[in-house]
Amino acid sequence: LEYNRSLTPFRARGTSGDVGEYFKLSSSMPMVRDAISSPIAAITSAPWRIERPTLPKYWEGSQAAQRALERQYQYASYVWSHWTGTGADLHWRDWINDILQFSLISGFYLGELVGEYQTIQVDGRARDLIVPEIPVCLMPWTVEEWIFRGNPSNMLGITQRTYAQTDAFGDSGPGSVVIPWDKLIHQAYMPASLGDLEGRSILRAAYQPLKMKQKLLQIQILAVEVNGLGMIVVKQDPQTPLSEDALQDLQTSLDNWTAEQCSYIILPPGLGHEIDFKSPSQTVPDLTSQLAALDSVIGKALGNSHKLMGISSHGSFAARSDASSEARNNYEHLGLYVARVAERVMRKFIALNFPLDKKMGMVFCPSINHAAIVEPDKSRRAATLSTLVSAGLITPSAEITDQLLRENNLTIPAPIDEDE
């Protein structure tokens, strides 16, 4: 689906040891690094939680469905505590970083599912169930081939180049391996269609402007390097030209002249000999306006134009406020993208551990949600909550109070012991 012939899928994504054009830009251009690291930092640091699923209307009144939901939620709660446990080798926040980094740069995330049997209290008794670990991320540039039957909706697996990849068991080596699709978790970012397995990198729209900016920066840096200290011009007196020895001494002195030394030149006798310094301002181009225009185009392509408006003096306060709201919407979208990946893994392992529930169509996966990723206007939100309470649309409760205290980083009061 790549229309740019210089960015064929292998060059853009990379293959085997080559990380591709997109990863090179992400590590060499500050605007790209900022566009990727800012949402990752905000989403990673946001409070995350697992929420108990509600019984679908179809299953209301079914005691079997209620019991299935209860045991599946007990299992899911244990998995969530396993993912978010303090001191784990791979943590939930590491997974967020993998999902977003590779999705935004390469266009898709691909992870290898790994699980271990653990004893869990479910339905009031100890049961040996498979608990998923944080998926091991497969580098996008190691995917050599997508294997499917007929069309990508019937996926069979992938062929992976293992030159620069370590599998879940710590093994690596030359050659190719085939990994079944059921062993993988895959998510494409903004795919063009259901069959677009490689998604869309955020660098695709910004590729040409970024290359143009690199070229302008190279021109400006070379101009400063060559002409930053001006150009020295020696004029000889035509009546008494310099001798060959004098010319050789003068050339040696000029060749050895650097910015760190205080050089001097003593010219031979002659009334017309002189040395001129051409001003750097005449030779160094000022490309500030061109670079600023490219920054604006790149910012829009990468989705971080709100930062340019926030740090510049252009635009009204209302416009900058709208830009902050735009950033929140963008981060919320990426947060939902991460939750979508995690919920798919959770649902797959619930179905794996409770096959009878799955056969009956009773798989109830909890949702994974987060608090506000970018700090909203607290005064406006407080006024909105007050209005809703006054209108009788919200009834204050201990759960709502605890949630609001957590979101605002306030102390949660300890429960009161009625016996005391």
Side-chain angles (χ1 to χ4, degrees):
L1 296 176
E2 179 57 68
Y3 61 88
N4 189 336
R5 297 182 67 86
S6 66
L7 287 177
T8 60
F10 287 114
R11 284 203 67 211
R13 189 192 69 212
T15 179
S16 187
D18 181 12
V19 297
E21 292 295 323
Y22 289 157
F23 256 89
K24 292 174 185 176
L25 285 175
S26 70
S27 60
S28 62
M29 297 295 290
M31 288 190 69
V32 179
R33 191 71 260 168
D34 182 64
I36 296 170
S37 62
S38 292
I40 290 178
I43 295 170
T44 301
S45 59
W48 286 82
R49 65 186 182 277
I50 185 174
E51 294 186 352
R52 181 189 184 91
T54 57
L55 202 62
K57 198 170 187 63
Y58 177 82
W59 292 106
E60 287 183 356
S62 171
Q63 295 297 321
Q66 186 62 45
R67 290 193 297 270
L69 186 150
E70 183 63 32
R71 60 174 163 263
Q72 291 172 21
Y73 181 65
Q74 291 175 359
Y75 166 79
S77 299
Y78 180 86
V79 172
W80 180 250
S81 65
H82 182 69
W83 285 350
T84 58
T86 303
D89 292 336
L90 280 177
H91 192 269
W92 164 250
R93 304 191 187 282
D94 300 322
W95 194 13
I96 295 177
N97 179 75
D98 286 345
I99 294 172
L100 291 180
Q101 178 178 197
F102 293 108
S103 295
L104 295 177
I105 297 176
S106 295
F108 67 94
Y109 164 78
L110 190 65
E112 183 180 355
L113 297 178
V114 179
E116 293 183 354
Y117 275 104
Q118 296 188 26
T119 303
I120 307 173
Q121 288 290 332
V122 174
D123 279 343
R125 60 190 180 91
R127 299 179 60 175
D128 291 334
L129 300 176
I130 303 176
V131 176
E133 301 289 338
I134 297 294
V136 178
C137 183
L138 302 183
M139 302 299 103
W141 50 86
T142 65
V143 180
E144 185 178 39
E145 184 180 17
W146 306 97
I147 305 173
F148 50 85
R149 181 188 295 114
N151 59 74
S153 63
N154 299 318
M155 291 299 302
L156 300 178
I158 67 165
T159 302
Q160 182 194 19
R161 302 281 287 184
T162 57
Y163 290 112
Q165 176 70 40
T166 302
D167 64 14
F169 301 99
D171 299 326
S172 63
S176 301
V177 295
V178 176
I179 303 178
W181 194 250
D182 288 340
K183 189 78 163 53
L184 302 170
I185 178 68
H186 167 269
Q187 185 70 38
Y189 182 71
M190 296 184 67
S193 65
L194 292 178
D196 183 9
L197 296 170
E198 297 193 351
R200 186 181 311 171
S201 167
I202 65 170
L203 301 182
R204 179 175 292 190
Y207 177 75
Q208 292 296 349
L210 283 169
K211 300 300 286 186
M212 293 170 63
K213 182 175 180 180
Q214 281 185 331
K215 189 66 175 178
L216 285 180
L217 289 174
Q218 289 172 359
I219 292 173
Q220 194 162 34
I221 291 171
L222 285 173
V224 172
E225 181 181 349
V226 174
N227 302 316
L229 297 174
M231 180 178 292
I232 302 175
V233 179
V234 179
K235 296 180 180 179
Q236 297 189 53
D237 185 350
Q239 301 299 324
T240 56
L242 298 174
S243 65
E244 291 297 329
D245 292 340
L247 282 173
Q248 186 65 39
D249 293 341
L250 181 60
Q251 183 176 352
T252 301
S253 179
L254 292 176
D255 287 340
N256 293 332
W257 190 84
T258 62
E260 285 86 7
Q261 68 178 158
C262 298
S263 298
Y264 63 89
I265 297 175
I266 301 176
L267 295 176
L271 297 176
H273 298 324
E274 63 181 33
I275 295 180
D276 290 339
F277 285 83
K278 297 297 183 182
S279 172
S281 61
Q282 300 174 5
T283 54
V284 179
D286 184 8
L287 303 176
T288 304
S289 59
Q290 291 87 344
L291 290 172
L294 282 176
D295 282 344
S296 177
V297 174
I298 294 170
K300 292 176 182 177
L302 294 178
N304 64 347
S305 57
H306 57 276
K307 286 202 168 187
L308 294 176
M309 183 172 290
I311 63 177
S312 67
S313 57
H314 301 290
S316 63
F317 176 80
R320 291 195 293 272
S321 177
D322 290 341
S324 297
S325 177
E326 177 186 342
R328 286 197 297 271
N329 293 337
N330 187 36
Y331 290 176
E332 291 286 335
H333 159 69
L334 294 176
L336 292 174
Y337 179 85
V338 171
R340 161 79 173 147
V341 176
E343 288 168 357
R344 287 179 56 205
V345 174
M346 187 79 78
R347 185 179 186 88
K348 178 172 289 203
F349 275 84
I350 288 176
L352 184 65
N353 282 286
F354 304 98
L356 294 181
D357 292 345
K358 177 187 177 183
K359 189 174 183 179
M360 295 296 295
M362 296 185 297
V363 176
F364 309 113
C365 180
S367 58
I368 297 174
N369 291 313
H370 54 77
I373 293 176
V374 178
E375 194 66 30
D377 188 339
K378 292 185 178 181
S379 60
R380 182 181 299 179
R381 188 182 186 203
T384 302
L385 290 173
S386 177
T387 302
L388 293 174
V389 171
S390 300
L393 299 176
I394 293 180
T395 302
S397 65
E399 291 79 8
I400 293 177
T401 301
D402 289 349
Q403 181 62 31
L404 290 175
L405 290 174
R406 286 191 181 92
E407 292 180 5
N408 290 278
N409 296 322
L410 299 175
T411 304
I412 301 175
I416 299 175
D417 191 346
E418 296 181 356
D419 295 336
E420 295 181 356

